[in-house]
Amino acid sequence: MAEPLRIALAGLGTVGTGVIRLIETNGDMIAARCGRPVKIVAVTARERGRDRGVDLAPYEWVDDMRELALRRDVDVVVELVGGSDGPALTLARTALRMGTGLVTANKAMVAHHGLELAETAAATGAAFAFEAAVAGGIPVVKGLREGTAANTLTRIYGILNGTCNYILSEMERTGADFDAMLAEAQAKGFAEADPTFDIEGIDAAHKLAILAAIGFGTRIDFGAVRTEGIGKVRASDIAQADALGYVVRLVGIASLGEDADDCRLSQWVRPCLVPFRHPLAAVTGPTNAVVAEGDFSGRLLFQGAGAGDRPTASAVVADLIDIARGQSGAPFSVPVAALDECLPGDPGNRTGSHYIRFTVADRPGVLAEITAAMRDADVSIESLIQQGRSAGGGEVQVAMVTHEGPQRCVTMALDLLDDSPSLTAAPLVMPILGD
């Protein structure tokens, strides 16, 4: 059997210890499948003495994380520290500059600095892999990079954040409002104490930017992802969506322009209405799912656990096996020098139907004012529902579904209503996902 692939592990949280357990449990099978053992030679973490539930005695402890990348007895550094910058980025840069391979689960770092890291890897011949950075244990990076390699992809979209999906599907199941379900998600460990990155869609945007670069062969551009979170979604919106034949999900979508000569890349994350019959409608709880639409493959669905120590460790070790086999390949599907640079798409060009919810003063003339704004902006209304009357002339909710049309027309209608005293809160707009 060939010499072992020697790895150094930075970060011993749930995923890092999961990697150790996986290699210890399935080491013989891994060696058989890749033709050589995968061996941990050194580890590091913030606190040395903490009990992590695994035996670290067989591995050399290193206090200076950067030293891992400088060791001659390390073939691959596994970075599980997290954070888009700081020590994680320093370690990643150092490893790749030294020609040492890098495997990471750090979606923020890849979204912000993935192009730079890929360029360094190409220059030094080092392997750079990040399957675990997107959708936990789902092999979607490999699926897009290899499984759809013969296809021109038209669209990549999906449910990319398990925290938001848990909250929305539990609101759907229980009828509770957002704040109550967020608190429950935190109590069950599905949401962080500070859930901002999750509920504002930033985590999903990191993943979408990575998938778009892989699927379309473009230079990664996280700054171009338009993001809106789920904090404005109410239980009443979910109930209304259900009555209309939809569920509410936070969806990230990336697509190239419909014109073959248009290289504009549209990337956005926002809550959407998803038809009951669509495969994403059945995705509940802290689960991720990604859909890729290819010209020959048709619609492909990747679904599974989007986080957790075991699924994410599985993805990390899958990357190590590829490197041990000499099969790591180009990080973003094509050589980094061949990645296209696409201009951001104009969101106003998106054509589709929308759900719009207004919170308005309960007085005569309000509906006429709203419908006049829609008329003036050339928005066609399919259905309009006033959700009950208030007690004593307070607030009521008005929900509508539009016919298909350009998003810029909806934006224009809301601009016309922007200063209206009839609106007591900002409207909520959710696109309706097509079949």
Side-chain angles (χ1 to χ4, degrees):
M1 186 170 285
E3 290 295 313
L5 182 77
R6 301 164 300 178
I7 71 170
L9 186 59
L12 294 172
T14 57
V15 177
T17 55
V19 168
I20 292 173
R21 290 190 185 96
L22 177 51
I23 291 175
E24 289 178 347
T25 302
N26 293 340
D28 291 342
M29 181 186 70
I30 291 167
R33 289 182 174 178
C34 61
R36 58 195 293 202
V38 174
K39 178 182 178 183
I40 302 170
V41 298
V43 298
T44 189
R46 187 177 301 169
E47 300 175 35
R48 182 168 185 169
R50 186 161 66 87
D51 181 11
R52 295 174 170 86
V54 293
D55 182 10
L56 299 178
Y59 318 120
E60 183 176 345
W61 183 277
V62 175
D63 290 314
D64 182 357
M65 185 189 306
R66 189 169 174 271
E67 183 185 325
L68 295 178
L70 303 175
R71 295 175 63 115
R72 293 180 179 272
D73 63 343
V74 170
D75 302 307
V76 180
V77 169
V78 177
E79 184 278 310
L80 301 172
V81 177
S84 61
D85 298 285
L89 181 59
T90 298
L91 177 64
R93 285 171 169 165
T94 304
L96 293 174
R97 287 170 184 165
M98 295 295 296
T100 301
L102 175 70
V103 170
T104 181
N106 191 335
K107 65 188 79 69
M109 184 176 71
V110 177
H112 286 277
H113 304 287
L115 184 62
E116 171 208 332
L117 297 175
E119 288 171 339
T120 303
T124 63
F128 173 37
F130 44 82
E131 180 68 70
V134 182
I138 307 172
V140 65
V141 170
K142 183 184 286 286
L144 292 182
R145 197 172 59 199
E146 300 175 15
T148 66
N151 286 255
T152 296
L153 297 184
T154 55
R155 210 166 49 142
I156 301 167
Y157 60 101
I159 295 169
L160 301 174
N161 183 269
T163 298
C164 288
N165 205 58
Y166 174 83
I167 291 170
L168 291 172
S169 58
E170 284 298 289
M171 288 173 68
E172 176 187 314
R173 185 182 68 83
T174 65
D177 232 321
F178 172 80
D179 289 340
M181 285 299 99
L182 172 58
E184 181 177 301
Q186 289 171 318
K188 291 186 174 182
F190 294 139
E192 302 287 345
D194 179 0
T196 303
F197 263 44
D198 291 321
I199 65 173
E200 292 189 0
I202 299 168
D203 174 81
H206 285 146
K207 298 171 185 175
L208 183 68
I210 296 168
L211 292 178
I214 296 167
F216 299 120
T218 57
R219 294 165 72 89
I220 194 165
D221 189 4
F222 170 72
V225 185
R226 296 174 178 268
T227 306
E228 181 179 331
I230 65 170
K232 295 180 182 177
V233 178
R234 300 176 181 174
S236 57
D237 297 314
I238 289 179
Q240 188 61 60
D242 179 75
L244 294 168
Y246 302 95
V247 297
V248 178
R249 298 287 184 264
L250 183 74
V251 180
I253 297 183
S255 60
L256 286 172
E258 294 180 1
D259 189 326
D261 296 326
D262 181 6
C263 190
R264 290 183 178 270
L265 178 61
S266 174
Q267 303 177 82
W268 51 269
V269 174
R270 61 192 302 188
C272 296
L273 267 64
V274 179
F276 287 161
R277 58 186 172 273
H278 194 284
L280 292 185
V283 179
T284 59
T287 304
N288 284 190
V290 177
V291 178
E293 296 177 351
D295 56 350
F296 278 74
S297 66
R299 177 187 285 172
L300 302 174
L301 175 65
F302 304 86
Q303 180 176 341
D309 57 339
R310 295 169 71 89
T312 309
S314 173
V316 168
V317 177
D319 278 341
L320 292 171
I321 291 172
D322 278 348
I323 293 171
R325 290 170 169 169
Q327 298 175 346
S328 54
F332 295 105
S333 297
V334 299
V336 65
L339 292 172
D340 290 330
E341 186 165 5
C342 289
L343 294 173
D346 182 350
N349 289 339
R350 178 193 174 272
T351 298
S353 300
H354 295 79
Y355 168 92
I356 310 173
R357 184 252 295 148
F358 299 94
T359 305
V360 301
D362 186 13
R363 62 185 184 215
V366 172
L367 287 181
E369 183 181 356
I370 292 173
T371 55
M374 297 294 156
R375 177 201 63 209
D376 294 344
D378 201 25
V379 175
S380 176
I381 301 172
E382 179 179 305
S383 59
L384 188 149
I385 310 100
Q386 179 173 314
Q387 299 174 332
R389 290 188 59 84
S390 67
E395 295 179 341
V396 294
Q397 289 186 24
V398 174
M400 68 170 60
V401 173
T402 72
H403 284 111
E404 285 200 6
Q407 184 172 312
R408 65 168 43 87
C409 294
V410 173
T411 301
M412 184 186 305
L414 298 184
D415 287 344
L416 292 173
L417 293 166
D418 191 47
D419 296 326
S420 171
S422 299
L423 272 62
T424 60
L428 172 68
V429 181
M430 293 190 284
I432 297 177
L433 196 66
D435 294 340

Tab-separated table of all heavy atoms in Angstrom, residues 335-392:
chain	number	residue	atom	x	y	z
A	335	PRO	N	-10.249	25.375	-14.834
A	335	PRO	CA	-9.057	26.051	-14.317
A	335	PRO	C	-9.362	27.503	-13.967
A	335	PRO	O	-10.128	28.185	-14.668
A	335	PRO	CB	-8.065	25.951	-15.485
A	335	PRO	CG	-8.489	24.724	-16.217
A	335	PRO	CD	-9.983	24.672	-16.111
A	336	VAL	N	-8.781	27.975	-12.886
A	336	VAL	CA	-9.156	29.286	-12.364
A	336	VAL	C	-8.947	30.383	-13.397
A	336	VAL	O	-9.720	31.358	-13.449
A	336	VAL	CB	-8.375	29.573	-11.052
A	336	VAL	CG1	-6.878	29.697	-11.309
A	336	VAL	CG2	-8.915	30.812	-10.361
A	337	ALA	N	-7.938	30.258	-14.252
A	337	ALA	CA	-7.700	31.284	-15.272
A	337	ALA	C	-8.803	31.330	-16.317
A	337	ALA	O	-8.955	32.334	-17.020
A	337	ALA	CB	-6.347	31.040	-15.944
A	338	ALA	N	-9.580	30.241	-16.435
A	338	ALA	CA	-10.638	30.174	-17.442
A	338	ALA	C	-12.004	30.566	-16.900
A	338	ALA	O	-12.995	30.552	-17.645
A	338	ALA	CB	-10.704	28.754	-18.016
A	339	LEU	N	-12.106	30.918	-15.619
A	339	LEU	CA	-13.393	31.317	-15.049
A	339	LEU	C	-13.872	32.616	-15.699
A	339	LEU	O	-13.103	33.562	-15.863
A	339	LEU	CB	-13.274	31.508	-13.534
A	339	LEU	CG	-13.021	30.244	-12.717
A	339	LEU	CD1	-12.720	30.606	-11.261
A	339	LEU	CD2	-14.217	29.298	-12.783
A	340	ASP	N	-15.154	32.642	-16.064
A	340	ASP	CA	-15.737	33.839	-16.669
A	340	ASP	C	-16.012	34.901	-15.612
A	340	ASP	O	-16.325	34.583	-14.463
A	340	ASP	CB	-17.052	33.503	-17.374
A	340	ASP	CG	-16.849	32.669	-18.630
A	340	ASP	OD1	-15.777	32.815	-19.259
A	340	ASP	OD2	-17.748	31.880	-18.966
A	341	GLU	N	-15.937	36.147	-16.030
A	341	GLU	CA	-16.311	37.255	-15.149
A	341	GLU	C	-17.641	37.807	-15.632
A	341	GLU	O	-17.727	38.421	-16.697
A	341	GLU	CB	-15.243	38.343	-15.159
A	341	GLU	CG	-15.518	39.446	-14.160
A	341	GLU	CD	-14.314	40.331	-13.904
A	341	GLU	OE1	-13.290	40.145	-14.583
A	341	GLU	OE2	-14.413	41.195	-13.020
A	342	CYS	N	-18.690	37.553	-14.868
A	342	CYS	CA	-20.035	37.963	-15.257
A	342	CYS	C	-20.463	39.214	-14.500
A	342	CYS	O	-20.223	39.329	-13.298
A	342	CYS	CB	-21.032	36.850	-14.987
A	342	CYS	SG	-20.876	35.449	-16.094
A	343	LEU	N	-21.146	40.095	-15.201
A	343	LEU	CA	-21.744	41.244	-14.539
A	343	LEU	C	-22.970	40.779	-13.752
A	343	LEU	O	-23.642	39.818	-14.142
A	343	LEU	CB	-22.150	42.292	-15.566
A	343	LEU	CG	-21.015	42.957	-16.338
A	343	LEU	CD1	-21.584	43.841	-17.441
A	343	LEU	CD2	-20.136	43.768	-15.400
A	344	PRO	N	-23.293	41.455	-12.643
A	344	PRO	CA	-24.495	41.080	-11.890
A	344	PRO	C	-25.758	41.325	-12.714
A	344	PRO	O	-25.856	42.311	-13.453
A	344	PRO	CB	-24.457	42.004	-10.664
A	344	PRO	CG	-23.049	42.480	-10.577
A	344	PRO	CD	-22.535	42.523	-11.971
A	345	GLY	N	-26.707	40.422	-12.588
A	345	GLY	CA	-27.974	40.593	-13.276
A	345	GLY	C	-28.812	41.698	-12.652
A	345	GLY	O	-28.667	42.034	-11.476
A	346	ASP	N	-29.691	42.269	-13.441
A	346	ASP	CA	-30.615	43.298	-12.967
A	346	ASP	C	-31.845	42.600	-12.385
A	346	ASP	O	-32.576	41.929	-13.123
A	346	ASP	CB	-31.013	44.198	-14.132
A	346	ASP	CG	-31.949	45.329	-13.717
A	346	ASP	OD1	-32.451	45.307	-12.566
A	346	ASP	OD2	-32.185	46.226	-14.537
A	347	PRO	N	-32.083	42.747	-11.071
A	347	PRO	CA	-33.228	42.033	-10.487
A	347	PRO	C	-34.559	42.466	-11.073
A	347	PRO	O	-35.530	41.713	-11.045
A	347	PRO	CB	-33.128	42.380	-8.993
A	347	PRO	CG	-32.323	43.634	-8.937
A	347	PRO	CD	-31.358	43.545	-10.071
A	348	GLY	N	-34.602	43.662	-11.628
A	348	GLY	CA	-35.846	44.122	-12.232
A	348	GLY	C	-36.250	43.326	-13.448
A	348	GLY	O	-37.421	43.328	-13.844
A	349	ASN	N	-35.300	42.629	-14.056
A	349	ASN	CA	-35.595	41.839	-15.251
A	349	ASN	C	-36.279	40.519	-14.929
A	349	ASN	O	-36.810	39.874	-15.839
A	349	ASN	CB	-34.311	41.559	-16.027
A	349	ASN	CG	-33.766	42.799	-16.712
A	349	ASN	OD1	-34.487	43.757	-16.946
A	349	ASN	ND2	-32.476	42.791	-17.017
A	350	ARG	N	-36.230	40.109	-13.649
A	350	ARG	CA	-36.843	38.819	-13.312
A	350	ARG	C	-38.348	38.889	-13.562
A	350	ARG	O	-39.031	39.821	-13.143
A	350	ARG	CB	-36.604	38.486	-11.843
A	350	ARG	CG	-37.256	37.179	-11.430
A	350	ARG	CD	-37.303	36.961	-9.930
A	350	ARG	NE	-38.055	35.763	-9.622
A	350	ARG	CZ	-39.373	35.721	-9.446
A	350	ARG	NH1	-40.085	36.829	-9.537
A	350	ARG	NH2	-39.985	34.580	-9.175
A	351	THR	N	-38.847	37.884	-14.260
A	351	THR	CA	-40.271	37.815	-14.572
A	351	THR	C	-40.913	36.680	-13.784
A	351	THR	O	-40.391	35.563	-13.751
A	351	THR	CB	-40.495	37.584	-16.083
A	351	THR	OG1	-39.942	38.688	-16.806
A	351	THR	CG2	-41.976	37.477	-16.401
A	352	GLY	N	-42.010	36.975	-13.136
A	352	GLY	CA	-42.707	35.955	-12.375
A	352	GLY	C	-43.872	36.556	-11.617
A	352	GLY	O	-44.170	37.759	-11.722
A	353	SER	N	-44.524	35.714	-10.848
A	353	SER	CA	-45.618	36.165	-9.985
A	353	SER	C	-45.074	36.466	-8.594
A	353	SER	O	-44.037	35.932	-8.191
A	353	SER	CB	-46.700	35.090	-9.903
A	353	SER	OG	-47.225	34.804	-11.178
A	354	HIS	N	-45.794	37.303	-7.854
A	354	HIS	CA	-45.358	37.702	-6.520
A	354	HIS	C	-46.525	37.669	-5.540
A	354	HIS	O	-47.674	37.924	-5.916
A	354	HIS	CB	-44.781	39.125	-6.535
A	354	HIS	CG	-43.522	39.271	-7.330
A	354	HIS	ND1	-43.518	39.378	-8.699
A	354	HIS	CD2	-42.222	39.311	-6.946
A	354	HIS	CE1	-42.277	39.481	-9.131
A	354	HIS	NE2	-41.475	39.444	-8.096
A	355	TYR	N	-46.189	37.359	-4.310
A	355	TYR	CA	-47.105	37.533	-3.175
A	355	TYR	C	-46.705	38.826	-2.480
A	355	TYR	O	-45.519	39.031	-2.190
A	355	TYR	CB	-46.970	36.350	-2.218
A	355	TYR	CG	-47.634	36.516	-0.866
A	355	TYR	CD1	-48.935	36.086	-0.640
A	355	TYR	CD2	-46.943	37.089	0.207
A	355	TYR	CE1	-49.535	36.224	0.604
A	355	TYR	CE2	-47.533	37.235	1.453
A	355	TYR	CZ	-48.828	36.796	1.647
A	355	TYR	OH	-49.414	36.935	2.880
A	356	ILE	N	-47.670	39.703	-2.229
A	356	ILE	CA	-47.389	40.971	-1.558
A	356	ILE	C	-48.350	41.106	-0.379
A	356	ILE	O	-49.571	40.961	-0.545
A	356	ILE	CB	-47.564	42.182	-2.494
A	356	ILE	CG1	-46.799	41.969	-3.806
A	356	ILE	CG2	-47.093	43.461	-1.804
A	356	ILE	CD1	-47.070	43.043	-4.851
A	357	ARG	N	-47.792	41.369	0.784
A	357	ARG	CA	-48.623	41.580	1.970
A	357	ARG	C	-48.449	43.013	2.481
A	357	ARG	O	-47.348	43.467	2.735
A	357	ARG	CB	-48.275	40.589	3.071
A	357	ARG	CG	-49.197	40.716	4.304
A	357	ARG	CD	-48.483	41.334	5.470
A	357	ARG	NE	-47.409	40.474	5.938
A	357	ARG	CZ	-46.295	40.948	6.469
A	357	ARG	NH1	-46.089	42.260	6.535
A	357	ARG	NH2	-45.340	40.122	6.886
A	358	PHE	N	-49.578	43.703	2.617
A	358	PHE	CA	-49.593	45.057	3.152
A	358	PHE	C	-50.218	45.046	4.540
A	358	PHE	O	-51.185	44.314	4.795
A	358	PHE	CB	-50.438	45.993	2.267
A	358	PHE	CG	-49.941	46.134	0.860
A	358	PHE	CD1	-50.440	45.317	-0.154
A	358	PHE	CD2	-48.991	47.093	0.538
A	358	PHE	CE1	-49.996	45.454	-1.457
A	358	PHE	CE2	-48.539	47.228	-0.765
A	358	PHE	CZ	-49.042	46.414	-1.763
A	359	THR	N	-49.684	45.844	5.441
A	359	THR	CA	-50.327	46.118	6.715
A	359	THR	C	-50.812	47.561	6.646
A	359	THR	O	-50.008	48.484	6.469
A	359	THR	CB	-49.352	45.947	7.888
A	359	THR	OG1	-48.783	44.638	7.828
A	359	THR	CG2	-50.064	46.116	9.219
A	360	VAL	N	-52.115	47.738	6.748
A	360	VAL	CA	-52.697	49.049	6.433
A	360	VAL	C	-53.673	49.487	7.513
A	360	VAL	O	-54.171	48.683	8.310
A	360	VAL	CB	-53.428	49.013	5.072
A	360	VAL	CG1	-52.459	48.625	3.952
A	360	VAL	CG2	-54.612	48.051	5.109
A	361	ALA	N	-53.948	50.781	7.515
A	361	ALA	CA	-54.985	51.325	8.396
A	361	ALA	C	-56.350	50.868	7.891
A	361	ALA	O	-56.610	50.841	6.688
A	361	ALA	CB	-54.916	52.843	8.404
A	362	ASP	N	-57.214	50.478	8.829
A	362	ASP	CA	-58.545	49.969	8.477
A	362	ASP	C	-59.491	51.155	8.281
A	362	ASP	O	-60.182	51.578	9.209
A	362	ASP	CB	-59.044	49.039	9.582
A	362	ASP	CG	-60.363	48.372	9.213
A	362	ASP	OD1	-60.732	48.440	8.024
A	362	ASP	OD2	-61.006	47.792	10.097
A	363	ARG	N	-59.495	51.690	7.053
A	363	ARG	CA	-60.360	52.825	6.745
A	363	ARG	C	-60.722	52.784	5.266
A	363	ARG	O	-60.017	52.137	4.474
A	363	ARG	CB	-59.675	54.133	7.100
A	363	ARG	CG	-58.403	54.412	6.347
A	363	ARG	CD	-57.740	55.672	6.862
A	363	ARG	NE	-56.557	56.005	6.085
A	363	ARG	CZ	-55.467	56.545	6.594
A	363	ARG	NH1	-55.395	56.780	7.902
A	363	ARG	NH2	-54.446	56.843	5.811
A	364	PRO	N	-61.791	53.452	4.877
A	364	PRO	CA	-62.218	53.422	3.477
A	364	PRO	C	-61.154	54.009	2.548
A	364	PRO	O	-60.418	54.927	2.909
A	364	PRO	CB	-63.485	54.295	3.480
A	364	PRO	CG	-63.971	54.268	4.893
A	364	PRO	CD	-62.747	54.185	5.741
A	365	GLY	N	-61.081	53.449	1.352
A	365	GLY	CA	-60.212	53.996	0.326
A	365	GLY	C	-58.842	53.373	0.232
A	365	GLY	O	-58.100	53.623	-0.732
A	366	VAL	N	-58.454	52.566	1.221
A	366	VAL	CA	-57.100	52.010	1.226
A	366	VAL	C	-56.911	51.027	0.071
A	366	VAL	O	-55.899	51.074	-0.646
A	366	VAL	CB	-56.803	51.328	2.573
A	366	VAL	CG1	-55.469	50.587	2.514
A	366	VAL	CG2	-56.771	52.362	3.686
A	367	LEU	N	-57.875	50.128	-0.122
A	367	LEU	CA	-57.747	49.171	-1.215
A	367	LEU	C	-57.689	49.874	-2.565
A	367	LEU	O	-56.930	49.483	-3.452
A	367	LEU	CB	-58.907	48.176	-1.190
A	367	LEU	CG	-58.887	47.119	-0.086
A	367	LEU	CD1	-60.098	46.197	-0.209
A	367	LEU	CD2	-57.614	46.301	-0.141
A	368	ALA	N	-58.474	50.911	-2.717
A	368	ALA	CA	-58.459	51.661	-3.972
A	368	ALA	C	-57.088	52.289	-4.209
A	368	ALA	O	-56.587	52.325	-5.338
A	368	ALA	CB	-59.539	52.738	-3.950
A	369	GLU	N	-56.468	52.780	-3.138
A	369	GLU	CA	-55.138	53.383	-3.268
A	369	GLU	C	-54.106	52.343	-3.692
A	369	GLU	O	-53.259	52.604	-4.570
A	369	GLU	CB	-54.749	54.011	-1.927
A	369	GLU	CG	-53.412	54.724	-1.952
A	369	GLU	CD	-53.048	55.320	-0.597
A	369	GLU	OE1	-53.869	55.241	0.348
A	369	GLU	OE2	-51.924	55.850	-0.476
A	370	ILE	N	-54.177	51.154	-3.093
A	370	ILE	CA	-53.223	50.102	-3.438
A	370	ILE	C	-53.423	49.651	-4.876
A	370	ILE	O	-52.459	49.521	-5.650
A	370	ILE	CB	-53.362	48.915	-2.468
A	370	ILE	CG1	-52.888	49.319	-1.071
A	370	ILE	CG2	-52.575	47.706	-2.974
A	370	ILE	CD1	-53.138	48.272	-0.007
A	371	THR	N	-54.664	49.393	-5.254
A	371	THR	CA	-54.912	48.904	-6.609
A	371	THR	C	-54.586	49.968	-7.656
A	371	THR	O	-54.145	49.623	-8.769
A	371	THR	CB	-56.369	48.437	-6.756
A	371	THR	OG1	-57.254	49.497	-6.374
A	371	THR	CG2	-56.631	47.219	-5.882
A	372	ALA	N	-54.751	51.236	-7.330
A	372	ALA	CA	-54.379	52.301	-8.271
A	372	ALA	C	-52.871	52.320	-8.505
A	372	ALA	O	-52.400	52.507	-9.632
A	372	ALA	CB	-54.855	53.654	-7.746
A	373	ALA	N	-52.094	52.105	-7.425
A	373	ALA	CA	-50.631	52.056	-7.568
A	373	ALA	C	-50.227	50.870	-8.435
A	373	ALA	O	-49.317	50.981	-9.281
A	373	ALA	CB	-49.975	51.968	-6.203
A	374	MET	N	-50.885	49.736	-8.251
A	374	MET	CA	-50.590	48.573	-9.084
A	374	MET	C	-50.929	48.853	-10.546
A	374	MET	O	-50.164	48.512	-11.456
A	374	MET	CB	-51.379	47.353	-8.579
A	374	MET	CG	-51.004	46.919	-7.173
A	374	MET	SD	-49.306	46.290	-7.072
A	374	MET	CE	-48.943	46.579	-5.333
A	375	ARG	N	-52.053	49.493	-10.764
A	375	ARG	CA	-52.450	49.825	-12.139
A	375	ARG	C	-51.432	50.750	-12.791
A	375	ARG	O	-50.996	50.528	-13.925
A	375	ARG	CB	-53.817	50.497	-12.104
A	375	ARG	CG	-54.338	50.968	-13.461
A	375	ARG	CD	-55.397	52.024	-13.272
A	375	ARG	NE	-54.835	53.216	-12.626
A	375	ARG	CZ	-55.531	54.043	-11.844
A	375	ARG	NH1	-56.806	53.812	-11.587
A	375	ARG	NH2	-54.948	55.107	-11.309
A	376	ASP	N	-51.021	51.774	-12.063
A	376	ASP	CA	-50.092	52.764	-12.625
A	376	ASP	C	-48.714	52.166	-12.904
A	376	ASP	O	-47.971	52.662	-13.760
A	376	ASP	CB	-49.954	53.957	-11.682
A	376	ASP	CG	-51.244	54.750	-11.561
A	376	ASP	OD1	-52.138	54.559	-12.419
A	376	ASP	OD2	-51.363	55.553	-10.608
A	377	ALA	N	-48.358	51.109	-12.166
A	377	ALA	CA	-47.058	50.451	-12.379
A	377	ALA	C	-47.168	49.253	-13.318
A	377	ALA	O	-46.192	48.534	-13.521
A	377	ALA	CB	-46.478	50.001	-11.034
A	378	ASP	N	-48.356	49.041	-13.874
A	378	ASP	CA	-48.586	47.955	-14.826
A	378	ASP	C	-48.417	46.582	-14.175
A	378	ASP	O	-47.888	45.649	-14.774
A	378	ASP	CB	-47.647	48.078	-16.035
A	378	ASP	CG	-48.161	47.310	-17.253
A	378	ASP	OD1	-49.393	47.100	-17.327
A	378	ASP	OD2	-47.342	46.914	-18.107
A	379	VAL	N	-48.904	46.475	-12.924
A	379	VAL	CA	-48.922	45.190	-12.224
A	379	VAL	C	-50.341	44.640	-12.279
A	379	VAL	O	-51.287	45.312	-11.834
A	379	VAL	CB	-48.473	45.327	-10.755
A	379	VAL	CG1	-48.608	43.994	-10.024
A	379	VAL	CG2	-47.047	45.835	-10.681
A	380	SER	N	-50.482	43.442	-12.808
A	380	SER	CA	-51.792	42.809	-12.913
A	380	SER	C	-52.043	41.944	-11.677
A	380	SER	O	-51.202	41.111	-11.315
A	380	SER	CB	-51.858	41.950	-14.176
A	380	SER	OG	-53.086	41.260	-14.242
A	381	ILE	N	-53.190	42.131	-11.036
A	381	ILE	CA	-53.524	41.424	-9.802
A	381	ILE	C	-54.349	40.181	-10.123
A	381	ILE	O	-55.387	40.262	-10.767
A	381	ILE	CB	-54.305	42.344	-8.840
A	381	ILE	CG1	-53.469	43.579	-8.494
A	381	ILE	CG2	-54.685	41.583	-7.573
A	381	ILE	CD1	-54.228	44.625	-7.709
A	382	GLU	N	-53.865	39.047	-9.641
A	382	GLU	CA	-54.607	37.794	-9.825
A	382	GLU	C	-55.642	37.610	-8.725
A	382	GLU	O	-56.774	37.198	-8.980
A	382	GLU	CB	-53.645	36.621	-9.841
A	382	GLU	CG	-54.324	35.262	-10.000
A	382	GLU	CD	-53.322	34.120	-10.039
A	382	GLU	OE1	-52.408	34.161	-10.865
A	382	GLU	OE2	-53.476	33.197	-9.210
A	383	SER	N	-55.270	37.871	-7.486
A	383	SER	CA	-56.208	37.733	-6.370
A	383	SER	C	-55.816	38.716	-5.272
A	383	SER	O	-54.642	39.077	-5.130
A	383	SER	CB	-56.209	36.300	-5.810
A	383	SER	OG	-54.928	35.940	-5.355
A	384	LEU	N	-56.804	39.151	-4.513
A	384	LEU	CA	-56.586	40.113	-3.423
A	384	LEU	C	-57.481	39.720	-2.264
A	384	LEU	O	-58.683	39.495	-2.440
A	384	LEU	CB	-56.885	41.532	-3.912
A	384	LEU	CG	-56.540	42.686	-2.974
A	384	LEU	CD1	-56.154	43.927	-3.769
A	384	LEU	CD2	-57.707	43.011	-2.050
A	385	ILE	N	-56.876	39.626	-1.085
A	385	ILE	CA	-57.607	39.176	0.104
A	385	ILE	C	-57.343	40.137	1.252
A	385	ILE	O	-56.195	40.415	1.587
A	385	ILE	CB	-57.173	37.755	0.541
A	385	ILE	CG1	-57.190	36.789	-0.646
A	385	ILE	CG2	-58.040	37.249	1.681
A	385	ILE	CD1	-55.832	36.544	-1.240
A	386	GLN	N	-58.425	40.665	1.863
A	386	GLN	CA	-58.282	41.421	3.102
A	386	GLN	C	-58.498	40.446	4.251
A	386	GLN	O	-59.539	39.790	4.327
A	386	GLN	CB	-59.282	42.572	3.185
A	386	GLN	CG	-59.157	43.352	4.488
A	386	GLN	CD	-60.020	44.607	4.515
A	386	GLN	OE1	-60.049	45.357	3.562
A	386	GLN	NE2	-60.731	44.805	5.614
A	387	GLN	N	-57.511	40.358	5.139
A	387	GLN	CA	-57.521	39.328	6.172
A	387	GLN	C	-58.209	39.830	7.437
A	387	GLN	O	-57.579	40.157	8.433
A	387	GLN	CB	-56.088	38.881	6.451
A	387	GLN	CG	-55.422	38.290	5.214
A	387	GLN	CD	-53.964	37.969	5.433
A	387	GLN	OE1	-53.306	38.599	6.256
A	387	GLN	NE2	-53.434	37.008	4.698
A	388	GLY	N	-59.542	39.924	7.378
A	388	GLY	CA	-60.319	40.285	8.553
A	388	GLY	C	-60.350	41.778	8.802
A	388	GLY	O	-59.626	42.562	8.201
A	389	ARG	N	-61.223	42.202	9.696
A	389	ARG	CA	-61.323	43.604	10.088
A	389	ARG	C	-60.793	43.763	11.502
A	389	ARG	O	-60.863	42.874	12.328
A	389	ARG	CB	-62.771	44.098	10.034
A	389	ARG	CG	-63.312	44.215	8.620
A	389	ARG	CD	-64.683	44.886	8.618
A	389	ARG	NE	-64.623	46.233	9.205
A	389	ARG	CZ	-64.272	47.323	8.519
A	389	ARG	NH1	-63.919	47.216	7.247
A	389	ARG	NH2	-64.281	48.511	9.093
A	390	SER	N	-60.225	44.947	11.747
A	390	SER	CA	-59.680	45.217	13.072
A	390	SER	C	-60.783	45.633	14.024
A	390	SER	O	-61.882	45.965	13.620
A	390	SER	CB	-58.639	46.335	12.978
A	390	SER	OG	-59.283	47.540	12.616
A	391	ALA	N	-60.445	45.621	15.293
A	391	ALA	CA	-61.372	46.124	16.314
A	391	ALA	C	-61.071	47.594	16.532
A	391	ALA	O	-59.976	47.964	16.914
A	391	ALA	CB	-61.188	45.342	17.611
A	392	GLY	N	-62.051	48.434	16.260
A	392	GLY	CA	-61.871	49.858	16.545
A	392	GLY	C	-61.031	50.596	15.529
A	392	GLY	O	-60.362	51.578	15.868
